[in-house]
Amino acid sequence: MANTTKQLTATATAVANAKPKEKEYNLADGRGLSLRVKMSGSKFWLLNYSRPVTKKRANLGLGTYPDVPLAEARKRREAARELLAKGIDPQHRLQQQNESAKTEAANTLKLVTDTWFEIKKQKVSENHGQKLYRRLELYLFPALGNLPIGSLTAPQVIQVLKPLEAKGNIETCKRIISWLNEVMTFAVNTGLIHSNPLIGIAAAFGVPQKRQMPTFKPAELPKLMEALSYASITITTRCLIELQLHTMTRPAEAAKARWDEINFEKELWVIPAERMKMNREHIIPSTLQALMILNRIRLMSEHLEYIFPAARNPKNHTNTETSNVALKRMGFKGLLVAHGLRSLASTTLNEQGFDAELIEVSLAHVDKNTVRAAYNRAEYIERRRELMFWWSEHICQP
């Protein structure tokens, strides 16, 4: 009669009572499974099998006893034997799974976001990029930043953002969700996760109310100019507000203006793409009034990099909120913000019947048609110069 290995039974006390000896030994359970008893008294399960390709014998650890009881060890044995039947080495599969788990754990939300942001910041202005990342730092990273990106769930993210919505910051929630979904799409495309479970979470939040930035009506422009002439503000701040008004630039674009961007000979201000909101170079025809403002401030900052230097550190530019702070001190809190100067210009020019497309180009609003955008830049510059000249003349009317 052939020799057979007597299997251990779940009720047998052999496993529990196995004592250490002078040498390590095995208690066999059949079909390659055995319990290894070490001299220290510790016990662990082994599956001895033949590798599918090389046919060499190998041992696969199936866990320690009593953490893995006999019944569970047998289930693991059968799962491994199913892989062997398919020509898959269970030890290699386990190693792959362990490596995959390590990689998944290492790819945290913050790490993947940082990688994504290195690409994202090339497509947006520096100021916009800083605000974007700062919001993620404030509202996402504290609770979710150290979690593997593959473990994120929709309910989990919604729970983190709901307190922000409760404070009335619905627009901020929407933006964070949009950026988060960009990160998740990046993770899918780079093979870090298989799918994006957060794609529909915006539906769990309310609709933000559209808020118009405080601005003046065209008829109120003289009131602004009079207030500027009497305002107790520095010459630098006065020139900053006036230049922004004449050029229709955004607050950050004006505050960070550099002397090397100004071409006095061609009477142009060329703002490089990296400083623009949509990462596209913007050319502004300089009017006589704008040049006069620049020449006035030139006496104070021509030797510096920035046209409007910071008071405490002249090597840096003035704060991007300088204009807003000044307008509040002038009594315009809730009535006018620096960005509202652009709206004032747009409304006035539209009322005067100027070409709407020229106005949009002058405001550096993005044209999605790249062919037409190139045409705008090449052909519209002189027509835009006429528009800018009219606007500057209108500003300075008594």
Side-chain angles (χ1 to χ4, degrees):
M1 182 180 294
N3 290 331
T4 59
T5 303
K6 184 180 179 181
Q7 287 194 345
L8 300 169
T9 65
T11 58
T13 58
V15 172
N17 293 336
K19 304 298 182 183
K21 299 180 180 179
E22 293 182 358
K23 293 183 179 181
E24 294 181 5
Y25 66 97
N26 292 343
L27 288 178
D29 188 52
R31 296 173 62 80
L33 178 65
S34 62
L35 181 74
R36 173 70 61 86
V37 183
K38 298 180 72 67
M39 291 184 291
S40 63
S42 61
K43 307 169 188 178
F44 59 92
W45 299 103
L46 287 178
L47 176 66
N48 186 260
Y49 68 99
S50 177
R51 294 192 187 277
V53 178
T54 65
K55 303 305 179 183
K56 291 183 178 180
R57 303 301 297 180
N59 285 324
L60 173 66
L62 298 181
T64 60
Y65 178 87
D67 297 332
V68 178
L70 175 59
E72 176 62 25
R74 287 173 174 170
K75 288 181 181 179
R76 296 184 182 186
R77 173 190 61 193
E78 296 309 310
R81 292 182 66 85
E82 287 179 10
L83 290 176
L84 286 168
K86 298 175 182 177
I88 301 172
D89 190 321
Q91 192 172 65
H92 292 168
R93 171 62 65 85
L94 183 61
Q95 290 171 349
Q96 290 174 351
Q97 291 175 341
N98 289 338
E99 288 299 319
S100 178
K102 289 179 182 179
T103 301
E104 181 180 345
N107 286 319
T108 62
L109 173 62
K110 185 180 185 306
L111 178 65
V112 178
T113 300
D114 287 346
T115 306
W116 162 82
F117 185 67
E118 287 301 312
I119 301 172
K120 179 70 174 180
K121 69 181 183 182
Q122 298 174 23
K123 304 175 183 179
V124 298
S125 68
E126 180 183 355
N127 186 58
H128 180 64
Q130 289 175 348
K131 288 182 178 179
L132 181 164
Y133 193 83
R134 182 57 180 156
R135 283 172 176 166
L136 296 178
E137 277 188 320
L138 285 173
Y139 304 117
L140 276 187
F141 291 169
L144 305 174
N146 292 327
L147 296 181
I149 193 167
S151 71
L152 295 181
T153 64
Q156 190 177 32
V157 176
I158 291 171
Q159 183 180 13
V160 169
L161 292 179
K162 274 297 181 180
L164 185 61
E165 181 192 38
K167 294 179 181 178
N169 298 322
I170 302 177
E171 180 63 35
T172 300
C173 281
K174 293 291 186 180
R175 291 183 180 182
I176 292 173
I177 290 169
S178 175
W179 297 326
L180 179 57
N181 271 287
E182 285 190 39
V183 175
M184 297 298 287
T185 299
F186 171 79
V188 171
N189 292 338
T190 53
L192 299 178
I193 56 178
H194 296 296
S195 61
N196 175 13
L198 311 181
I199 198 166
I201 63 174
F205 297 86
V207 178
Q209 295 182 349
K210 291 186 177 180
R211 294 183 301 170
Q212 296 293 335
M213 290 190 177
T215 187
F216 276 178
K217 296 178 180 179
E220 297 178 291
L221 178 58
K223 180 172 67 173
L224 170 63
M225 301 312 296
E226 182 180 7
L228 265 175
S229 64
Y230 291 104
S232 179
I233 55 179
T234 65
I235 294 177
T236 300
T237 301
R238 188 190 313 277
C239 289
L240 172 63
I241 295 174
E242 290 180 351
L243 185 67
Q244 187 187 331
L245 180 62
H246 281 272
T247 59
M248 295 188 278
T249 47
R250 299 178 177 89
E253 294 162 4
K256 297 181 179 181
R258 302 193 308 263
W259 284 114
D260 62 6
E261 298 171 356
I262 308 297
N263 189 323
F264 284 96
E265 182 179 348
K266 294 183 179 180
E267 298 181 348
L268 294 173
W269 177 10
V270 182
I271 306 178
E274 61 268 20
R275 287 219 304 109
M276 295 301 296
K277 182 178 180 180
M278 300 308 294
N279 200 34
R280 208 178 83 183
E281 183 183 81
H282 183 47
I283 301 176
I284 305 172
S286 299
T287 64
L288 175 62
Q289 291 83 352
L291 291 172
M292 289 175 62
I293 296 168
L294 288 170
N295 281 320
R296 186 180 185 188
I297 195 70
R298 195 176 186 178
L299 299 173
M300 294 175 279
S301 65
E302 185 179 24
H303 61 292
L304 300 170
E305 178 183 5
Y306 294 102
I307 297 175
F308 304 103
R312 294 184 179 180
N313 181 12
K315 291 184 179 180
N316 199 359
H317 58 78
T318 189
N319 193 291
T320 55
E321 289 295 317
T322 296
S323 296
N324 280 325
V325 173
L327 290 172
K328 287 180 182 178
R329 290 177 178 174
M330 291 162 60
F332 296 137
K333 182 178 181 180
L335 302 175
L336 176 66
V337 294
H339 204 284
L341 300 176
R342 287 163 52 83
S343 298
L344 173 59
S346 177
T347 302
T348 303
L349 292 168
N350 275 290
E351 287 184 356
Q352 293 298 317
F354 281 93
D355 188 327
E357 190 171 29
L358 279 180
I359 298 171
E360 292 301 295
V361 173
S362 298
L363 290 166
H365 288 162
V366 171
D367 187 339
K368 295 182 179 179
N369 187 319
T370 55
V371 175
R372 190 174 66 175
Y375 177 77
N376 285 340
R377 176 176 172 182
E379 298 291 332
Y380 286 12
I381 193 70
E382 292 306 317
R383 290 178 60 192
R384 287 177 54 210
R385 192 183 295 276
E386 294 175 9
L387 178 149
M388 301 298 289
F389 277 17
W390 184 92
W391 173 235
S392 278
E393 289 290 336
H394 178 73
I395 293 171
C396 295
Q397 285 180 0

